[in-house]
Amino acid sequence: MGANAIFSIGRGSELVTALGLKVLGCYQIAPGLFEIDAVGAARLLLDLPFVGQLRNLTAEMVLAKIASTLGLGFVSFCLPIAAMPRDMVFLGSVRGALDQVAQCFGFERERWALDTVGKKLLLLPGAVPGLPIPITPEYIREERVGGLEMAILARMRPFLSVTHRGQVQVVDRVTFDSKRQTMFLSWADEN
């Protein structure tokens, strides 16, 4: 963890350097198969000259800026999050940017949600509101620690509540496996 790496793509000896990375974590998920969490060079840039500019930011200010960029209003139902930003990185997608805000400011139970009908970005004190989606046994392929692998459901996304084995869980991450045509749901840590 914390090591620098270079991500390259290509075939055989024809490799093209895509970008420099900082490795956040490396996990073996099967024999010879690893999952690596990393952030790009933007983090290295932001760690240097811009740290001072970040000291006066709040999580709500950053989320409001992201919402305004998307043409959305911002509404927070949470108490102000009193934390200094750490390693502020915006990835190339809205989900990435929102996840980075949550990680940088140390969100615990707070969740963001995009209300595309009302054109708002919401910050909520828990899961996205709504009835939990039941996960029935016919969808489940395999249960693992911290989540489950299941058939792909188009409506499944992070921060939704689901009912599994009589318990309500909040989805933290949805990872798709194109070879197996499945998705893996990992649960949010609600402690």
Side-chain angles (χ1 to χ4, degrees):
M1 289 207 345
N4 292 327
I6 296 174
F7 174 70
S8 299
I9 55 175
R11 273 189 239 175
S13 61
E14 297 178 15
L15 291 179
V16 177
T17 300
L19 69 156
L21 301 171
K22 180 165 279 208
V23 177
L24 300 178
C26 180
Y27 317 96
Q28 185 167 2
I29 55 177
L33 184 61
F34 295 84
E35 179 177 306
I36 298 172
D37 291 331
V39 292
R43 171 183 177 156
L44 303 176
L45 292 173
L46 286 169
D47 279 350
L48 298 172
F50 304 113
V51 170
Q53 296 175 20
L54 298 175
R55 297 224 183 271
N56 294 323
L57 288 178
T58 66
E60 291 82 2
M61 290 167 62
V62 175
L63 291 171
K65 177 64 175 172
I66 293 170
S68 70
T69 302
L70 297 170
L72 305 174
F74 174 71
V75 179
S76 176
F77 296 96
C78 297
L79 294 173
I81 298 165
M84 295 298 293
R86 303 181 299 275
D87 304 327
M88 181 64 72
V89 181
F90 290 107
L91 300 181
S93 69
V94 173
R95 164 74 204 258
L98 295 170
D99 283 349
Q100 287 293 321
V101 171
Q103 184 178 12
C104 292
F105 286 92
F107 286 14
E108 292 179 5
R109 292 186 55 98
E110 298 86 2
R111 300 281 183 258
W112 54 264
L114 285 173
D115 175 6
T116 53
V117 175
K119 295 199 172 216
K120 291 182 181 169
L121 171 63
L122 306 173
L123 182 60
L124 305 166
V128 172
L131 294 174
I133 298 170
I135 297 180
T136 53
E138 66 264 17
Y139 289 113
I140 299 171
R141 300 278 172 87
E142 181 182 349
E143 290 192 53
R144 299 186 218 156
V145 174
L148 58 91
E149 185 177 5
M150 60 182 287
I152 295 174
L153 293 178
R155 67 184 185 270
M156 196 59 63
R157 61 189 177 89
F159 309 141
L160 287 180
S161 296
V162 298
T163 306
H164 173 59
R165 292 186 177 245
Q167 292 184 327
V168 175
Q169 300 277 5
V170 176
V171 176
D172 179 55
R173 182 182 290 183
V174 180
T175 309
F176 295 95
D177 185 330
S178 58
K179 288 183 183 176
R180 293 171 54 111
Q181 293 294 305
T182 60
M183 58 196 276
F184 182 76
L185 305 181
S186 58
W187 309 132
D189 182 10
E190 294 296 327
N191 297 329

